[in-house]
């Protein structure tokens, strides 16, 4: 039996799952059109889940390489290159069950040779997807983007069909450089769930278990989590596994207990993150709460941008 997913990307076999057909189609179209594009959204919105789903959809036709720069922050060049190749192989093994013997590039610029080598050995067009791209050291990131940019002009020769960079914030600055192959217009944002999607998620549980959420509870979940995917699943999981375990109907009373625990007892990652970020911009947050008419939503204002990217305001 499936359940609500409370950590990491969603495994469709063990967790309730919401399809995101619009954004999926957009991403697949970009891949068909040889585009290099970016995907961003605040923490726990479903970026990795979406990208993993894309991998499944394209893996027969193309050669997706899905790696994460999550632990790359401290790495220096030599170590970066070695880990990069290892991670590429790990991704191929996970998808196709085999590793390829690859030469570790001597420099970041030599990554072009690595791409050629993979193409020659595999004979399929490559889709390079990098999760947590913002974790990369800035200097290495610059050089890395430089190679990607030079490959882009000859991408049909290299057979690097698409490059997708995933991050929590829009990678402004470097990517907006005129010479960057990453076009602002092709930036995808993963949105929070709509009300219909939240209700659909809860319905999956009702259908599979027979346990029912009172209408009022559905509304409260929607209202309190505002469609934030991680939090929506978290609240629902607490209700079905703790507050209303074994009950046929989940009531407002159960929800009150869940909400209380979320606010005062649990250290929930989503909420802890929001409180920490709010502390860093306490004065601005106070202004937004108590004098919203005096605050303009301007994404180029660094402080507004920071609160937006961390999911505090929208
Ligand atoms: N398609 C989906 N259907 C159901 N739940 C989802 C879906 N996508 C995301 N979620 C919920 O959001 C949580 C986070 O998903 P995921 O790890 O993919 O997000 P993320 O944006 O990559 O997060 P992070 O920035 O922390 O890496 C999941 O644990 C699950 O609760
Ligand atoms: Mg992720």
């Amino acid at each position: 039996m499936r359940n609500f997913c409370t950590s990491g990307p969603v495994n469709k076999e063990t967790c309730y799952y919401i399809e995101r057909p619009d954004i999926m189609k957009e991403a697949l179209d970009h891949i068909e059109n040889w585009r290099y594009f970016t995907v961003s959204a605040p923490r726990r919105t479903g970026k990795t889940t979406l990208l993993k789903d894309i991998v499944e959809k394209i893996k027969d036709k193309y050669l997706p390489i899905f790696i994460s720069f999550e632990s790359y922050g401290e790495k220096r060049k030599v170590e970066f290159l070695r880990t990069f190749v290892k991670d590429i192989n790990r991704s191929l093994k996970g998808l196709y069950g085999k590793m390829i013997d690859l030469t570790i590039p001597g420099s970041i610029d030599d990554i072009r040779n690595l791409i050629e080598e993979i193409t020659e050995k595999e004979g399929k067009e490559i889709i390079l997807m990098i999760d947590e791209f913002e974790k990369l050291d800035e200097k290495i990131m610059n050089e890395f983007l430089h190679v990607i940019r030079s490959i882009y002009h000859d991408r049909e020769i290299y057979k690097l069909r698409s490059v997708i960079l995933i991050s929590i914030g829009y990678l402004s600055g470097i990517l907006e450089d005129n010479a960057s192959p990453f076009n602002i217009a092709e930036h995808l944002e993963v949105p929070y769930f709509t009300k219909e999607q939240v209700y659909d998620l809860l319905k999956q549980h009702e259908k599979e278990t027979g346990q029912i959420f009172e209408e009022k509870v559905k509304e409260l979940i929607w209202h309190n989590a505002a469609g934030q995917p991680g939090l929506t699943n978290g609240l629902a999981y607490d209700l079905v596994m703790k507050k209303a375990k074994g009950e046929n109907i989940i009531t407002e009373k159960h929800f009150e207990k869940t909400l209380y625990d979320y606010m005062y007892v649990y250290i929930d990652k989503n909420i802890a993150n929001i409180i920490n970020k709010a502390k860093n911009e306490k004065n601005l947050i106070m202004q937004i709460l108590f004098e919203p008419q005096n605050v303009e939503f301007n994404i180029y204002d660094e402080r507004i941008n920071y609160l937006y990217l961390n999911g505090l305001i929208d």
Side-chain angles (χ1 to χ4, degrees), residues 6 24 29 37 45 63 67 69 72 81 83 85 87 104 116 118 138 158 171 175 192 197 205 236 279 291 310:
T6 54
M24 172 65 77
D29 284 350
F37 63 102
T45 304
L63 188 84
I67 61 175
F69 282 172
Y72 279 47
L81 291 165
T83 319
V85 172
D87 282 348
I104 296 173
E116 267 180 330
I118 300 173
E138 207 179 314
Y158 283 96
L171 300 152
L175 297 188
Y192 283 0
Q197 288 173 322
H205 176 78
K279 275 187 191 155
E291 310 162 16
N310 283 289

Side-chain angles (χ1 to χ4, degrees), residues 4-10 16-20 41-50 131-132 168 193 201 228-231 233-234:
F4 293 99
C5 172
T6 54
S7 69
V10 178
Y16 305 129
Y17 180 74
I18 294 295
E19 301 279 345
R20 295 177 178 268
R43 284 258 163 250
R44 303 196 41 72
T45 304
K47 301 179 289 297
T48 307
T49 300
L50 177 82
D131 207 355
E132 311 261 349
I168 51 166
F193 290 155
L201 188 79
Q228 211 277 1
L231 198 50
N233 276 281

Side-chain angles (χ1 to χ4, degrees), residues 54-148:
I54 293 177
V55 167
E56 284 306 313
K57 290 201 158 59
I58 62 174
K59 70 178 188 200
D60 293 334
K61 188 169 178 191
Y62 304 121
L63 188 84
I65 294 174
F66 187 29
I67 61 175
S68 169
F69 282 172
E70 181 167 14
S71 61
Y72 279 47
E74 301 295 305
K75 295 203 191 311
R76 292 200 289 162
K77 239 179 254 181
V78 176
E79 213 190 335
F80 164 75
L81 291 165
R82 202 182 308 130
T83 319
F84 186 59
V85 172
K86 248 195 208 158
D87 282 348
I88 288 177
N89 252 323
R90 206 168 282 141
S91 162
L92 294 176
K93 181 149 191 258
L95 275 181
Y96 305 105
K98 61 168 186 189
M99 313 265 271
I100 339 175
D101 195 17
L102 293 170
T103 318
I104 296 173
S107 68
I108 294 195
D109 194 59
D110 283 347
I111 287 178
R112 65 180 73 237
N113 304 337
L114 176 71
I115 298 292
E116 267 180 330
E117 196 183 345
I118 300 173
T119 309
E120 274 165 22
K121 291 187 170 155
E122 290 305 296
K124 267 171 152 181
E125 286 159 7
I126 300 169
I127 317 295
L128 178 61
M129 306 156 111
I130 305 176
D131 207 355
E132 311 261 349
F133 186 73
E134 77 276 11
K135 298 274 170 69
L136 196 58
D137 164 86
E138 207 179 314
K139 198 166 167 292
I140 298 185
M141 186 187 284
N142 264 308
E143 284 186 53
F144 182 82
L145 288 170
H146 206 81
V147 200
I148 297 295

Side-chain angles (χ1 to χ4, degrees), residues 7 14 26 69 71 122 194 214 241 273 278 281 284:
S7 69
T14 55
E26 216 176 314
F69 282 172
S71 61
E122 290 305 296
T194 60
E214 256 183 7
M241 294 307 287
N273 178 43
E281 282 298 344
L284 181 57

Side-chain angles (χ1 to χ4, degrees), residues 46 99 176 259:
M99 313 265 271
E176 275 149 30
L259 192 62

